[in-house]
Amino acid sequence: YVSNVFQPRLSFTYTLDADTVIRGSAGKYARAEGSSYYQYNTVQQNLASFIAQFYPYGYHTPDHAIFPDTSDNFDLSFEKRLKGTQLSFKITPFFRETHNQLQFQAINAVQGTLAGLNVGTQQSYGAEFSLQYGDFSRNGFSTLLSYTHTQNRIKFSPINGVSVIDALNTQIELYNSYTHACAGVTSRSANWTACGGGAYPGNAAPVLRNGESGTGNQGKLKIPNPYYHDTLAPLFDTGAWYTPYDVIPSPFNAANGYEVPDVATLILNYRRGRFAVTPSIRHMDGSNYGSPLVWPGYVPQSCSQQPAKTPLTPGKSCPGGAIGAIFLPDPYSGRFDNLGAFVQPAQLTVNLQTSYDISPRMTLTVQAVNLYDRCFQRGYAWDNAVTCVYSSLPSNILAPAGNFIKNPPVQLRYPYGTFYNITEVGISSVLQPFGFFADLNVKL
């Protein structure tokens, strides 16, 4: 595939006076798509067992059409030094709209293999502010304060007629099809779409028959439907704006976004001759996370014995067949968690640096990193004092207990836990230990 993108750009600087400058820029930018996203090769790439993972997005071959995502970027900066003082500031609002936004789909969570899909339109906007007093290279006190606020949102467009939200809604429809609200619905019923549009006939019954013994319905086990009396779950709005994720949520995988709404840094400096001391403080607000595909339930029709016979592990004999599991509402929130349903902890870090100029060509620098480092939890059931970023359970391949186990161990008790896969995010998910570093810089 060959893509040609015209990328016009314009920038300007206007000096109002000796202390005031206005700058601005506008332009179109393109990001080349990864060539590995065009085709997917394996031992037998045309087998349904491999291609089936792309079915929710309308692909039925290992060959996919992918296009560069393009963005329209705008920013305007007002820079001012207060006359007669050492104080200056700059404020910069910005806006970016990206079309054909590329997001990733995990096709092998264990090996970290990803597919790329053009999912829709993303908007990113906010403002940057910086305040500076004094000069770090001169004697006396000086300081630098910076603050950035960013908002991100994405609207998913159909891919071969199916959007990211449609794929998530399919799992909610499957769950709904087992509830009493879907019993006897027709195309004229209000619940027709939420119940799967007739795709799951016979699920909405108090008792279901397994399909692993006997002929026809005779001799088959009658398994109680544990979801029959549940409430119908609403579907997600396909036309709404959502929190952007780096990797599209899929079963037990990719439940966290990358937007950091607020970041503030304060650097103080005091210099006296050859000696300087520089403490710094950084505060980072938490991003968002959450996914509707985190809490599994057993498939009643797949049970080879009555779940009541193993009350501590009711789903032990229910392998799920081709479905594997039904996704249920998160029991800790009482709903299917939307993208961005929860907020990551905010983090505060304090560091200290000192330097001494031994000679004009030799400087000794000592750093004490993470003198204070804390993540402020949000009060969720799965909070862990040392965790700063949450997502699906460790390694994205460990499923929580769901309704398969009555009293699960703590490792499987919650739908979310410490995030260990930093694909495209590049940040640590846990508190970092105190670090001490010494550096001798010699200029030859």
Side-chain angles (χ1 to χ4, degrees):
Y1 299 95
V2 176
S3 297
N4 297 304
V5 181
F6 181 54
Q7 302 179 61
R9 300 172 190 177
L10 174 68
S11 62
F12 73 90
T13 301
Y14 184 75
T15 303
L16 293 176
D17 54 51
D19 297 314
T20 311
V21 176
I22 296 177
R23 307 179 197 273
S25 69
K28 185 170 186 176
Y29 296 79
R31 177 176 63 164
E33 70 282 18
S35 59
S36 63
Y37 305 145
Y38 288 126
Q39 295 177 331
Y40 299 90
N41 191 23
T42 184
V43 177
Q44 289 290 335
Q45 67 267 34
N46 288 312
L47 291 179
S49 58
F50 177 76
I51 301 176
Q53 61 193 316
F54 301 112
Y55 285 175
Y57 303 104
Y59 292 112
H60 297 89
T61 74
D63 185 23
H64 300 174
I66 302 295
F67 308 97
D69 46 4
T70 60
S71 66
D72 299 313
N73 293 27
F74 306 90
D75 65 79
L76 185 67
S77 177
F78 179 76
E79 304 173 23
K80 177 74 174 179
R81 181 173 70 87
L82 301 185
K83 191 172 183 178
T85 72
Q86 299 183 61
L87 188 65
S88 62
F89 69 89
K90 178 172 68 173
I91 183 167
T92 307
F94 59 88
F95 177 84
R96 185 187 77 182
E97 182 168 272
T98 305
H99 302 278
N100 282 328
Q101 175 70 47
L102 272 169
Q103 285 189 348
F104 304 104
Q105 177 190 9
I107 59 176
N108 189 318
V110 179
Q111 297 179 5
T113 308
L114 301 172
L117 300 171
N118 296 113
V119 297
T121 300
Q122 180 172 323
Q123 292 181 349
S124 305
Y125 52 94
E128 298 177 344
F129 174 77
S130 66
L131 180 71
Q132 182 169 349
Y133 176 82
D135 187 337
F136 282 36
S137 65
R138 296 183 179 181
N139 284 341
F141 287 98
S142 54
T143 185
L144 175 64
L145 171 67
S146 66
Y147 168 74
T148 302
H149 175 73
T150 307
Q151 290 289 119
N152 283 285
R153 60 181 189 171
I154 188 168
K155 182 180 288 187
F156 296 103
S157 301
I159 306 168
N160 299 316
V162 181
S163 78
V164 168
I165 301 303
D166 286 318
L168 298 179
N169 279 341
T170 297
Q171 298 291 341
I172 301 176
E173 292 166 9
L174 175 59
Y175 162 77
N176 283 339
S177 72
Y178 283 88
T179 67
H180 65 279
C182 292
V185 296
T186 66
S187 58
R188 297 183 178 181
S189 303
N191 295 338
W192 176 250
T193 300
C195 293
Y200 313 106
N203 283 350
V207 175
L208 298 166
R209 297 178 184 271
N210 76 349
E212 300 184 9
S213 63
T215 304
N217 284 332
Q218 245 182 351
K220 292 187 177 182
L221 283 176
K222 295 181 178 180
I223 308 296
N225 178 358
Y227 319 114
Y228 183 73
H229 296 288
D230 290 357
T231 303
L232 188 81
L235 303 180
F236 297 139
D237 184 354
T238 56
W241 292 91
Y242 291 89
T243 299
Y245 280 25
D246 186 58
V247 181
I248 298 168
S250 57
F252 315 119
N253 184 49
N256 57 296
Y258 56 82
E259 170 194 72
V260 180
D262 296 286
V263 178
T265 302
L266 174 64
I267 303 175
L268 304 173
N269 184 75
Y270 175 76
R271 173 171 287 277
R272 181 74 174 181
R274 298 182 178 183
F275 176 77
V277 57
T278 310
S280 64
I281 304 172
R282 187 189 69 163
H283 179 271
M284 184 172 66
D285 202 8
S287 181
N288 294 88
Y289 67 104
S291 168
L293 309 182
V294 291
W295 196 253
Y298 64 81
V299 180
Q301 298 96 318
S302 72
C303 298
S304 59
Q305 66 177 351
Q306 293 293 347
K309 289 185 176 182
T310 53
L312 295 181
T313 55
K316 178 181 178 181
S317 63
C318 309
I323 298 175
I326 301 169
F327 284 99
L328 312 179
D330 177 355
Y332 297 94
S333 66
R335 62 181 183 275
F336 281 96
D337 298 332
N338 204 340
L339 278 66
F342 306 103
V343 182
Q344 304 280 11
Q347 185 172 9
L348 181 66
T349 306
V350 178
N351 306 305
L352 178 66
Q353 174 181 297
T354 61
S355 65
Y356 182 76
D357 298 327
I358 300 173
S359 71
R361 293 180 177 272
M362 189 178 299
T363 301
L364 176 65
T365 303
V366 176
Q367 292 180 319
V369 180
N370 297 321
L371 277 172
Y372 179 86
D373 190 17
R374 181 179 175 186
C375 285
F376 300 90
Q377 305 299 320
R378 303 290 183 175
Y380 305 131
W382 49 85
D383 281 356
N384 185 331
V386 301
T387 298
C388 300
V389 181
Y390 295 91
S391 188
S392 301
L393 293 191
S395 304
N396 296 327
I397 58 173
L398 180 65
N403 70 351
F404 286 82
I405 305 174
K406 285 293 185 182
N407 299 304
V410 67
Q411 296 91 338
L412 306 178
R413 188 174 301 163
Y414 305 111
Y416 306 102
T418 304
F419 180 47
Y420 288 112
N421 182 357
I422 59 172
T423 304
E424 295 287 320
V425 180
I427 57 174
S428 173
S429 61
V430 296
L431 291 175
Q432 297 300 295
F434 170 77
F436 183 83
F437 305 92
D439 177 67
L440 182 62
N441 186 13
V442 180
K443 298 179 182 179
L444 300 179

Tab-separated table of all heavy atoms in Angstrom, residues 30-68:
chain	number	residue	atom	x	y	z
A	30	ALA	N	1.395	13.718	9.636
A	30	ALA	CA	1.023	12.335	9.359
A	30	ALA	C	2.009	11.400	10.037
A	30	ALA	O	3.207	11.689	10.115
A	30	ALA	CB	1.013	12.070	7.858
A	31	ARG	N	1.500	10.293	10.551
A	31	ARG	CA	2.345	9.263	11.154
A	31	ARG	C	2.261	8.017	10.288
A	31	ARG	O	1.178	7.486	10.047
A	31	ARG	CB	1.881	8.951	12.578
A	31	ARG	CG	2.681	7.825	13.238
A	31	ARG	CD	2.266	7.599	14.679
A	31	ARG	NE	0.881	7.174	14.816
A	31	ARG	CZ	0.385	6.618	15.925
A	31	ARG	NH1	1.158	6.440	16.983
A	31	ARG	NH2	-0.889	6.274	15.989
A	32	ALA	N	3.409	7.565	9.824
A	32	ALA	CA	3.426	6.378	8.975
A	32	ALA	C	2.915	5.167	9.741
A	32	ALA	O	3.276	4.943	10.896
A	32	ALA	CB	4.838	6.136	8.469
A	33	GLU	N	2.069	4.398	9.088
A	33	GLU	CA	1.535	3.191	9.707
A	33	GLU	C	2.601	2.095	9.705
A	33	GLU	O	3.484	2.068	8.847
A	33	GLU	CB	0.293	2.711	8.958
A	33	GLU	CG	0.530	2.142	7.571
A	33	GLU	CD	0.755	3.197	6.499
A	33	GLU	OE1	1.064	4.347	6.836
A	33	GLU	OE2	0.642	2.852	5.312
A	34	GLY	N	2.540	1.214	10.675
A	34	GLY	CA	3.487	0.111	10.744
A	34	GLY	C	3.228	-0.903	9.641
A	34	GLY	O	2.090	-1.355	9.452
A	35	SER	N	4.254	-1.263	8.893
A	35	SER	CA	4.068	-2.202	7.785
A	35	SER	C	3.641	-3.589	8.276
A	35	SER	O	3.029	-4.359	7.529
A	35	SER	CB	5.361	-2.314	6.966
A	35	SER	OG	6.429	-2.756	7.787
A	36	SER	N	3.938	-3.896	9.528
A	36	SER	CA	3.568	-5.220	10.060
A	36	SER	C	2.062	-5.361	10.245
A	36	SER	O	1.567	-6.476	10.443
A	36	SER	CB	4.272	-5.460	11.402
A	36	SER	OG	3.841	-4.520	12.364
A	37	TYR	N	1.318	-4.228	10.185
A	37	TYR	CA	-0.131	-4.297	10.393
A	37	TYR	C	-0.894	-4.672	9.125
A	37	TYR	O	-2.100	-4.894	9.172
A	37	TYR	CB	-0.662	-2.962	10.914
A	37	TYR	CG	0.027	-2.475	12.159
A	37	TYR	CD1	0.251	-1.122	12.383
A	37	TYR	CD2	0.474	-3.373	13.123
A	37	TYR	CE1	0.887	-0.678	13.533
A	37	TYR	CE2	1.116	-2.936	14.267
A	37	TYR	CZ	1.315	-1.587	14.465
A	37	TYR	OH	1.957	-1.147	15.594
A	38	TYR	N	-0.210	-4.706	7.962
A	38	TYR	CA	-0.902	-5.025	6.708
A	38	TYR	C	-1.275	-6.506	6.613
A	38	TYR	O	-2.355	-6.850	6.165
A	38	TYR	CB	-0.008	-4.671	5.513
A	38	TYR	CG	0.145	-3.197	5.262
A	38	TYR	CD1	1.400	-2.607	5.175
A	38	TYR	CD2	-0.970	-2.385	5.083
A	38	TYR	CE1	1.547	-1.254	4.934
A	38	TYR	CE2	-0.837	-1.025	4.847
A	38	TYR	CZ	0.434	-0.466	4.769
A	38	TYR	OH	0.570	0.870	4.542
A	39	GLN	N	-0.334	-7.346	6.991
A	39	GLN	CA	-0.544	-8.775	6.851
A	39	GLN	C	-0.066	-9.502	8.097
A	39	GLN	O	0.864	-9.048	8.768
A	39	GLN	CB	0.209	-9.319	5.617
A	39	GLN	CG	-0.306	-8.788	4.294
A	39	GLN	CD	0.508	-9.306	3.120
A	39	GLN	OE1	1.691	-9.587	3.248
A	39	GLN	NE2	-0.142	-9.453	1.971
A	40	TYR	N	-0.679	-10.635	8.374
A	40	TYR	CA	-0.337	-11.413	9.563
A	40	TYR	C	-0.009	-12.831	9.136
A	40	TYR	O	-0.807	-13.498	8.470
A	40	TYR	CB	-1.485	-11.367	10.568
A	40	TYR	CG	-1.756	-9.948	10.999
A	40	TYR	CD1	-2.659	-9.153	10.301
A	40	TYR	CD2	-1.055	-9.377	12.048
A	40	TYR	CE1	-2.877	-7.839	10.671
A	40	TYR	CE2	-1.262	-8.067	12.421
A	40	TYR	CZ	-2.167	-7.288	11.728
A	40	TYR	OH	-2.366	-5.993	12.077
A	41	ASN	N	1.169	-13.247	9.484
A	41	ASN	CA	1.668	-14.531	9.025
A	41	ASN	C	1.890	-15.470	10.204
A	41	ASN	O	2.406	-15.071	11.243
A	41	ASN	CB	2.993	-14.333	8.284
A	41	ASN	CG	3.422	-15.600	7.565
A	41	ASN	OD1	2.590	-16.443	7.268
A	41	ASN	ND2	4.701	-15.714	7.280
A	42	THR	N	1.475	-16.699	10.025
A	42	THR	CA	1.727	-17.735	11.014
A	42	THR	C	1.818	-19.051	10.252
A	42	THR	O	1.870	-19.047	9.012
A	42	THR	CB	0.614	-17.770	12.079
A	42	THR	OG1	0.947	-18.736	13.075
A	42	THR	CG2	-0.730	-18.087	11.474
A	43	VAL	N	1.840	-20.180	10.932
A	43	VAL	CA	2.001	-21.457	10.239
A	43	VAL	C	0.885	-21.657	9.216
A	43	VAL	O	1.119	-22.028	8.069
A	43	VAL	CB	2.030	-22.618	11.255
A	43	VAL	CG1	2.117	-23.954	10.529
A	43	VAL	CG2	3.218	-22.454	12.196
A	44	GLN	N	-0.367	-21.388	9.634
A	44	GLN	CA	-1.514	-21.462	8.729
A	44	GLN	C	-2.365	-20.221	8.962
A	44	GLN	O	-3.327	-20.231	9.712
A	44	GLN	CB	-2.325	-22.743	8.980
A	44	GLN	CG	-1.636	-24.023	8.529
A	44	GLN	CD	-1.555	-24.141	7.017
A	44	GLN	OE1	-2.367	-23.556	6.306
A	44	GLN	NE2	-0.579	-24.881	6.524
A	45	GLN	N	-1.983	-19.109	8.310
A	45	GLN	CA	-2.630	-17.834	8.603
A	45	GLN	C	-4.066	-17.740	8.113
A	45	GLN	O	-4.798	-16.837	8.508
A	45	GLN	CB	-1.815	-16.672	8.013
A	45	GLN	CG	-1.771	-16.627	6.487
A	45	GLN	CD	-0.572	-17.355	5.925
A	45	GLN	OE1	-0.144	-18.351	6.490
A	45	GLN	NE2	-0.016	-16.853	4.836
A	46	ASN	N	-4.495	-18.670	7.248
A	46	ASN	CA	-5.862	-18.623	6.738
A	46	ASN	C	-6.842	-19.459	7.538
A	46	ASN	O	-8.018	-19.517	7.216
A	46	ASN	CB	-5.887	-19.089	5.272
A	46	ASN	CG	-5.263	-18.059	4.348
A	46	ASN	OD1	-5.577	-16.886	4.424
A	46	ASN	ND2	-4.359	-18.501	3.489
A	47	LEU	N	-6.352	-20.122	8.582
A	47	LEU	CA	-7.249	-20.928	9.392
A	47	LEU	C	-8.172	-20.047	10.223
A	47	LEU	O	-7.773	-18.973	10.695
A	47	LEU	CB	-6.444	-21.850	10.315
A	47	LEU	CG	-5.675	-22.990	9.650
A	47	LEU	CD1	-4.917	-23.787	10.711
A	47	LEU	CD2	-6.624	-23.905	8.875
A	48	ALA	N	-9.393	-20.506	10.414
A	48	ALA	CA	-10.356	-19.741	11.217
A	48	ALA	C	-9.860	-19.540	12.642
A	48	ALA	O	-10.156	-18.523	13.271
A	48	ALA	CB	-11.703	-20.456	11.224
A	49	SER	N	-9.087	-20.486	13.165
A	49	SER	CA	-8.582	-20.375	14.538
A	49	SER	C	-7.696	-19.145	14.707
A	49	SER	O	-7.604	-18.596	15.804
A	49	SER	CB	-7.797	-21.635	14.921
A	49	SER	OG	-6.718	-21.844	14.019
A	50	PHE	N	-7.050	-18.687	13.623
A	50	PHE	CA	-6.212	-17.480	13.693
A	50	PHE	C	-6.996	-16.231	13.292
A	50	PHE	O	-6.944	-15.204	13.958
A	50	PHE	CB	-4.982	-17.644	12.792
A	50	PHE	CG	-4.101	-16.418	12.752
A	50	PHE	CD1	-3.257	-16.120	13.813
A	50	PHE	CD2	-4.134	-15.554	11.673
A	50	PHE	CE1	-2.459	-14.975	13.796
A	50	PHE	CE2	-3.344	-14.414	11.639
A	50	PHE	CZ	-2.498	-14.131	12.707
A	51	ILE	N	-7.741	-16.332	12.206
A	51	ILE	CA	-8.439	-15.155	11.682
A	51	ILE	C	-9.608	-14.746	12.566
A	51	ILE	O	-10.013	-13.582	12.577
A	51	ILE	CB	-8.934	-15.432	10.246
A	51	ILE	CG1	-7.749	-15.764	9.338
A	51	ILE	CG2	-9.692	-14.241	9.678
A	51	ILE	CD1	-8.164	-16.149	7.933
A	52	ALA	N	-10.142	-15.688	13.352
A	52	ALA	CA	-11.336	-15.408	14.153
A	52	ALA	C	-11.161	-14.227	15.088
A	52	ALA	O	-12.131	-13.535	15.413
A	52	ALA	CB	-11.722	-16.650	14.954
A	53	GLN	N	-9.927	-13.957	15.528
A	53	GLN	CA	-9.705	-12.834	16.432
A	53	GLN	C	-9.972	-11.484	15.764
A	53	GLN	O	-10.159	-10.477	16.436
A	53	GLN	CB	-8.278	-12.869	16.967
A	53	GLN	CG	-7.198	-12.761	15.906
A	53	GLN	CD	-5.840	-13.101	16.447
A	53	GLN	OE1	-5.471	-12.667	17.531
A	53	GLN	NE2	-5.081	-13.891	15.707
A	54	PHE	N	-10.006	-11.462	14.420
A	54	PHE	CA	-10.289	-10.225	13.694
A	54	PHE	C	-11.742	-10.133	13.246
A	54	PHE	O	-12.153	-9.108	12.708
A	54	PHE	CB	-9.376	-10.114	12.457
A	54	PHE	CG	-7.914	-10.119	12.775
A	54	PHE	CD1	-7.106	-11.182	12.408
A	54	PHE	CD2	-7.336	-9.064	13.458
A	54	PHE	CE1	-5.750	-11.187	12.695
A	54	PHE	CE2	-5.983	-9.057	13.761
A	54	PHE	CZ	-5.188	-10.123	13.382
A	55	TYR	N	-12.521	-11.189	13.443
A	55	TYR	CA	-13.922	-11.192	13.020
A	55	TYR	C	-14.724	-10.016	13.601
A	55	TYR	O	-15.566	-9.438	12.909
A	55	TYR	CB	-14.604	-12.507	13.405
A	55	TYR	CG	-14.228	-13.706	12.554
A	55	TYR	CD1	-14.691	-14.975	12.872
A	55	TYR	CD2	-13.417	-13.560	11.423
A	55	TYR	CE1	-14.346	-16.090	12.099
A	55	TYR	CE2	-13.064	-14.663	10.667
A	55	TYR	CZ	-13.526	-15.922	11.002
A	55	TYR	OH	-13.186	-17.010	10.242
A	56	PRO	N	-14.513	-9.671	14.896
A	56	PRO	CA	-15.321	-8.565	15.444
A	56	PRO	C	-15.177	-7.258	14.681
A	56	PRO	O	-16.030	-6.378	14.803
A	56	PRO	CB	-14.784	-8.428	16.879
A	56	PRO	CG	-14.241	-9.776	17.204
A	56	PRO	CD	-13.664	-10.283	15.921
A	57	TYR	N	-14.102	-7.113	13.874
A	57	TYR	CA	-13.900	-5.872	13.120
A	57	TYR	C	-14.080	-6.073	11.621
A	57	TYR	O	-13.637	-5.261	10.815
A	57	TYR	CB	-12.511	-5.301	13.430
A	57	TYR	CG	-12.325	-5.055	14.903
A	57	TYR	CD1	-11.548	-5.913	15.680
A	57	TYR	CD2	-12.976	-4.003	15.537
A	57	TYR	CE1	-11.403	-5.708	17.040
A	57	TYR	CE2	-12.844	-3.796	16.900
A	57	TYR	CZ	-12.055	-4.650	17.640
A	57	TYR	OH	-11.920	-4.457	18.994
A	58	GLY	N	-14.732	-7.175	11.256
A	58	GLY	CA	-15.096	-7.373	9.868
A	58	GLY	C	-14.006	-7.904	8.971
A	58	GLY	O	-14.175	-7.925	7.741
A	59	TYR	N	-12.876	-8.330	9.519
A	59	TYR	CA	-11.809	-8.904	8.702
A	59	TYR	C	-11.957	-10.432	8.671
A	59	TYR	O	-12.110	-11.064	9.706
A	59	TYR	CB	-10.437	-8.553	9.271
A	59	TYR	CG	-10.074	-7.094	9.167
A	59	TYR	CD1	-9.972	-6.297	10.307
A	59	TYR	CD2	-9.822	-6.500	7.933
A	59	TYR	CE1	-9.638	-4.949	10.216
A	59	TYR	CE2	-9.493	-5.150	7.836
A	59	TYR	CZ	-9.406	-4.391	8.978
A	59	TYR	OH	-9.069	-3.065	8.893
A	60	HIS	N	-11.851	-10.998	7.458
A	60	HIS	CA	-11.984	-12.446	7.306
A	60	HIS	C	-10.795	-13.043	6.565
A	60	HIS	O	-10.844	-14.179	6.104
A	60	HIS	CB	-13.290	-12.794	6.589
A	60	HIS	CG	-14.507	-12.384	7.351
A	60	HIS	ND1	-15.085	-11.139	7.221
A	60	HIS	CD2	-15.238	-13.026	8.307
A	60	HIS	CE1	-16.132	-11.041	8.035
A	60	HIS	NE2	-16.241	-12.167	8.705
A	61	THR	N	-9.729	-12.250	6.436
A	61	THR	CA	-8.474	-12.720	5.851
A	61	THR	C	-7.332	-12.139	6.680
A	61	THR	O	-7.537	-11.192	7.457
A	61	THR	CB	-8.310	-12.252	4.387
A	61	THR	OG1	-7.995	-10.857	4.373
A	61	THR	CG2	-9.578	-12.502	3.580
A	62	PRO	N	-6.114	-12.642	6.517
A	62	PRO	CA	-4.973	-12.069	7.244
A	62	PRO	C	-4.436	-10.796	6.593
A	62	PRO	O	-3.412	-10.265	7.026
A	62	PRO	CB	-3.930	-13.200	7.191
A	62	PRO	CG	-4.271	-13.961	5.951
A	62	PRO	CD	-5.760	-13.889	5.821
A	63	ASP	N	-5.116	-10.285	5.558
A	63	ASP	CA	-4.679	-9.095	4.834
A	63	ASP	C	-5.584	-7.924	5.216
A	63	ASP	O	-6.793	-7.976	4.994
A	63	ASP	CB	-4.750	-9.363	3.323
A	63	ASP	CG	-4.193	-8.209	2.508
A	63	ASP	OD1	-3.390	-7.443	3.057
A	63	ASP	OD2	-4.594	-8.071	1.334
A	64	HIS	N	-4.996	-6.854	5.793
A	64	HIS	CA	-5.784	-5.712	6.281
A	64	HIS	C	-5.316	-4.410	5.634
A	64	HIS	O	-4.119	-4.188	5.479
A	64	HIS	CB	-5.641	-5.558	7.799
A	64	HIS	CG	-6.106	-6.747	8.566
A	64	HIS	ND1	-5.949	-6.853	9.931
A	64	HIS	CD2	-6.736	-7.887	8.186
A	64	HIS	CE1	-6.447	-8.006	10.339
A	64	HIS	NE2	-6.926	-8.649	9.300
A	65	ALA	N	-6.259	-3.557	5.300
A	65	ALA	CA	-5.944	-2.227	4.781
A	65	ALA	C	-5.782	-1.264	5.958
A	65	ALA	O	-6.708	-1.060	6.740
A	65	ALA	CB	-7.042	-1.751	3.844
A	66	ILE	N	-4.585	-0.666	6.082
A	66	ILE	CA	-4.288	0.282	7.164
A	66	ILE	C	-3.785	1.577	6.532
A	66	ILE	O	-3.060	1.559	5.532
A	66	ILE	CB	-3.216	-0.288	8.121
A	66	ILE	CG1	-3.692	-1.609	8.714
A	66	ILE	CG2	-2.905	0.699	9.240
A	66	ILE	CD1	-4.902	-1.512	9.595
A	67	PHE	N	-4.162	2.717	7.126
A	67	PHE	CA	-3.783	4.012	6.576
A	67	PHE	C	-3.052	4.843	7.638
A	67	PHE	O	-3.251	4.624	8.843
A	67	PHE	CB	-5.033	4.764	6.109
A	67	PHE	CG	-5.906	3.960	5.180
A	67	PHE	CD1	-7.010	3.269	5.660
A	67	PHE	CD2	-5.612	3.880	3.834
A	67	PHE	CE1	-7.817	2.523	4.826
A	67	PHE	CE2	-6.410	3.125	2.978
A	67	PHE	CZ	-7.513	2.450	3.469
A	68	PRO	N	-2.235	5.802	7.217
A	68	PRO	CA	-1.584	6.675	8.200
A	68	PRO	C	-2.627	7.475	8.965
A	68	PRO	O	-3.648	7.882	8.385
A	68	PRO	CB	-0.711	7.598	7.337
A	68	PRO	CG	-0.620	6.937	5.997
A	68	PRO	CD	-1.877	6.148	5.828
